[in-house]
Amino acid sequence: MRILLVEDDPVLGMAVRDQIIAEGHSADWVTRLDAADSAIHAAAFDLVLLDLMLPDGRGLDFLKRRRT
């Protein structure tokens, strides 16, 4: 499974990414919504783990834009 992790906290991001990899999945980690948008356009992901508050916006707003 290929997972996109969107998390701006470096400690939490590393911990989650490492756990995803330890479970045998592929993890791409970005820290901003603009990078998440670019990643989604560049590759297919099975799952997106999305932080709610990021430096460049709210995760829920990003999700709403992606669903329409």
Side-chain angles (χ1 to χ4, degrees):
M1 181 180 298
R2 186 167 185 185
I3 299 170
L4 176 62
L5 171 61
V6 186
E7 172 58 59
D8 64 323
D9 181 285
V11 174
L12 183 56
M14 281 189 288
V16 173
R17 183 201 56 203
D18 291 349
Q19 185 61 42
I20 291 168
I21 293 168
E23 294 291 326
H25 305 290
S26 173
D28 292 18
W29 175 26
V30 297
T31 59
R32 299 180 53 88
L33 292 174
D34 56 355
D37 195 48
S38 295
I40 287 173
H41 283 93
F45 292 93
D46 300 299
L47 176 70
V48 177
L49 294 177
L50 181 61
D51 189 353
L52 295 179
M53 295 300 297
L54 292 147
D56 58 338
R58 294 181 30 181
L60 287 177
D61 293 337
F62 176 80
L63 179 62
K64 288 175 188 175
R65 287 192 308 274
R66 299 300 317 152
R67 293 185 66 168
T68 59

